[in-house]
């Protein structure tokens, strides 16, 4: 079993839809949770960054962490064709931040059609 | 401010050959991490260098090696190439080591092994 599981998609939605992207994880030591967005032929770029449990909102994006269920989500409101990309969740522990490494999900490919 | 630069962007090799990939981090960043990205496995951590020292290593065979120079530029080498080494190799730089800082990714070097 992988430490981080993510549905690969593709997820295809119409413009304006609310999108929900999810990851589950098995390591209860994870404390930092991130979402990266990767456009085709580009490297990933950081989208959202959350520490421990709770919600964080940034414009049309909301990141949610439920540590009791080991489940994280990224919601995109009013989705746009420009949101079409692969979304990767990533997480790491807290014990040794200077040597901890990020563990990534495999990514969910999102397509938003006009 | 220039981003992370990786060279070459694309390369084709045959089994048994070796390859060297180069990464120039963002100016001022002292940490360079390398990841292998494949459709089935997603982003897998190879190793991280900070101030010319390897700080962390993923679960890859010894054929995968790296180094970092005094100007923070990094190279990774794969010897005795196998078909399964075909992947996108991503380099990421950060101002600090481990999970403490945001990772900035390059566009990657796409390696095809025939």
């Amino acid at each position: 079993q992988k430490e981080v599981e993510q549905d690969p998609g593709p997820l295809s939605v119409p413009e304006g839809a609310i999108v929900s992207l999810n990851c589950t994880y098995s390591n209860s030591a994870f404390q930092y949770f991130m979402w990266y967005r990767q456009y085709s032929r580009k490297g990933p770029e950081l989208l959202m960054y959350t520490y421990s449990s709770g919600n964080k909102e940034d414009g049309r994006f909301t990141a949610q962490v439920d540590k009791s269920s080991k489940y994280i989500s990224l919601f995109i409101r009013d989705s746009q064709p420009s949101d079409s990309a692969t979304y990767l969740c990533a997480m790491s522990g807290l014990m040794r931040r200077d040597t901890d490494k990020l563990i990534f999900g495999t990514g969910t490919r999102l397509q938003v059609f006009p | 401010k220039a981003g992370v630069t990786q060279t070459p962007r694309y390369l084709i090799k045959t089994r048994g050959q070796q390859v060297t990939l180069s990464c120039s981090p963002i100016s001022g960043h002292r940490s360079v991490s390398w990841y292998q990205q494949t459709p089935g496995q997603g982003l897998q951590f190879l190793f991280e260098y900070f101030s010319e020292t390897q700080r962390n290593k993923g679960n890859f065979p010894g054929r995968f090696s790296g180094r970092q120079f005094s100007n923070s530029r990094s190279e990774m080498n794969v010897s005795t190439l196998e078909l399964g080494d075909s992947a996108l190799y991503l380099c990421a730089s950060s101002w600090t080591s481990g999970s403490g800082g945001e990772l900035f990714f390059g566009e990657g070097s796409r390696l095809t092994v025939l």
Side-chain angles (χ1 to χ4, degrees):
Chain A
Q1 184 192 4
K2 288 185 179 180
E3 275 191 288
V4 179
E5 299 277 359
Q6 187 175 9
D7 189 325
L11 183 60
S12 187
V13 301
E15 184 176 356
I18 296 174
V19 175
S20 172
L21 304 165
N22 311 294
C23 286
T24 59
Y25 62 95
S26 57
N27 189 343
S28 58
F30 287 147
Q31 297 278 355
Y32 291 93
F33 304 92
M34 283 141 272
W35 286 95
Y36 280 78
R37 177 175 61 194
Q38 184 175 19
Y39 289 115
S40 180
R41 302 184 187 281
K42 298 288 187 183
E45 57 178 342
L46 183 66
L47 198 57
M48 298 283 283
Y49 185 110
T50 353
Y51 169 66
S52 196
S53 286
N55 293 359
K56 184 174 182 180
E57 191 173 318
D58 184 2
R60 297 184 296 110
F61 298 89
T62 299
Q64 203 170 71
V65 175
D66 181 350
K67 290 189 69 182
S68 61
S69 302
K70 297 191 180 70
Y71 188 87
I72 70 170
S73 300
L74 177 70
F75 298 96
I76 307 175
R77 290 184 300 281
D78 187 25
S79 55
Q80 303 295 309
S82 58
D83 295 328
S84 298
T86 297
Y87 290 80
L88 303 123
C89 62
M91 46 199 81
S92 70
L94 185 62
M95 297 305 291
R96 286 295 306 274
R97 288 185 65 189
D98 61 335
T99 55
D100 279 343
K101 57 183 186 289
L102 280 182
I103 307 297
F104 282 84
T106 50
T108 299
R109 192 156 66 92
L110 171 67
Q111 296 171 328
V112 181
F113 55 91
Chain B
K1 196 174 188 180
V4 177
T5 304
Q6 289 188 246
T7 57
R9 289 290 313 280
Y10 302 91
L11 65 167
I12 299 173
K13 294 285 187 179
T14 56
R15 279 181 299 175
Q17 286 187 310
Q18 66 97 25
V19 66
T20 299
L21 309 177
S22 179
C23 173
S24 293
I26 291 172
S27 177
H29 285 189
R30 294 163 63 192
S31 167
V32 173
S33 299
W34 288 90
Y35 288 82
Q36 181 194 67
Q37 187 175 33
T38 57
Q41 298 297 317
L43 270 162
Q44 291 188 284
F45 176 78
L46 281 155
F47 27 67
E48 182 199 1
Y49 287 88
F50 183 81
S51 294
E52 301 179 68
T53 302
Q54 188 179 86
R55 282 294 188 98
N56 209 340
K57 192 176 190 307
N59 296 322
F60 279 82
R63 301 185 296 107
F64 292 81
S65 62
R67 58 178 176 168
Q68 186 179 33
F69 302 96
S70 58
N71 61 358
S72 293
R73 192 177 70 85
S74 176
E75 288 181 348
M76 69 161 280
N77 184 79
V78 188
S79 62
T80 319
L81 284 166
E82 301 176 0
L83 294 179
D85 297 333
S86 294
L88 180 66
Y89 290 88
L90 289 161
C91 163
S93 76
S94 178
W95 66 274
T96 187
S97 67
S99 60
E102 177 182 348
L103 292 179
F104 291 84
F105 284 88
E107 295 188 333
S109 293
R110 185 166 295 280
L111 170 65
T112 301
V113 182
L114 303 176

